[in-house]
Amino acid sequence: MEQKKLLLPLSIQFFAETMHAKDAISGSEGEAFVTIEGTRYNFAQLINLEARMDKTKTKVPILGKVGKGNKSTGAEYTGSATFHFNTSIFRQVLYRYKETGEDIYFDIQLTNEDPTSKVGRQTVILKDCNLDGGTIALIDADAEYLEESFDFTFEDWEIPEVFKILDVMQ
């Protein structure tokens, strides 16, 4: 029996176009705002914030298959933020809850915009954020500066501005 040879086109390219370094987004280029009970604050002391959407899934048995399938059945939204220890706004939210039992929900708007990058800007609004807890007091004689953090949940999110698609992606 004769073995068939695989013929490859002569014009195979062994390189691909790559992204330009200038199109990476600088982590410090952008802005953040927090809106609590109608008052909008510039969250300029923010060091970092990450918001996540984790899908909840159910295992689905499928006749004729050894493995089970995965069916998305919902989502959970969580986040964490670290910022300079120079605002009492979030402590006041926690204090109000401690004193009155009234839980305060707020929105966070984040915009990434690096003027060097061709992708433009992206804005995400986290709706109905709720603190899991936070720093009540902090002092550190050895620290160059003080920072604090909190974890939070949120109920919904919007993305009114999205990055442009880079030419290299098309």
Side-chain angles (χ1 to χ4, degrees):
M1 179 174 228
E2 188 177 315
Q3 207 173 24
K4 293 184 180 182
K5 293 183 180 179
L6 182 61
L7 300 176
L8 298 175
L10 296 175
S11 63
I12 292 180
Q13 295 181 354
F14 291 102
F15 62 91
E17 192 173 345
T18 59
M19 183 185 89
H20 296 282
K22 68 180 182 172
D23 289 324
I25 301 295
S26 170
S28 63
E29 296 287 348
E31 58 190 2
F33 295 92
V34 175
T35 303
I36 303 173
E37 297 186 311
T39 302
R40 189 171 193 233
Y41 302 95
N42 184 349
F43 199 6
Q45 56 272 80
L46 183 65
I47 297 170
N48 62 58
L49 185 145
E50 180 181 6
R52 293 191 45 84
M53 177 181 136
D54 292 313
K55 292 171 31 178
T56 53
K57 294 187 176 186
T58 299
K59 299 285 184 194
V60 178
I62 301 172
L63 186 63
K65 283 186 144 184
V66 175
K68 292 185 178 184
N70 297 285
K71 170 86 175 161
S72 296
T73 57
E76 295 179 359
Y77 308 123
T78 59
S80 61
T82 302
F83 49 101
H84 294 285
F85 186 78
N86 62 0
T87 179
S88 296
I89 293 170
F90 301 108
R91 264 176 294 292
Q92 290 172 307
V93 167
L94 292 172
Y95 186 76
R96 186 159 145 193
Y97 177 70
K98 178 188 83 76
E99 291 294 306
T100 68
E102 182 183 5
D103 213 357
I104 306 300
Y105 290 79
F106 55 92
D107 295 344
I108 301 174
Q109 177 181 316
L110 302 164
T111 299
N112 300 98
E113 185 176 22
D114 183 341
T116 305
S117 176
K118 289 181 184 175
V119 298
R121 60 191 273 146
Q122 173 180 279
T123 299
V124 173
I125 303 169
L126 309 175
K127 310 290 276 180
D128 295 325
C129 299
N130 185 259
L131 296 175
D132 291 351
T135 303
I136 301 302
L138 180 64
I139 197 163
D140 183 345
D142 195 37
E144 291 183 27
Y145 62 90
L146 296 176
E147 64 181 45
E148 62 181 307
S149 62
F150 62 72
D151 293 326
F152 63 99
T153 56
F154 55 104
E155 302 298 315
D156 201 1
W157 58 282
E158 298 174 5
I159 185 166
E161 294 180 295
V162 298
F163 290 130
K164 296 174 191 162
I165 301 294
L166 292 171
D167 292 339
V168 69
M169 295 174 66
Q170 299 182 29

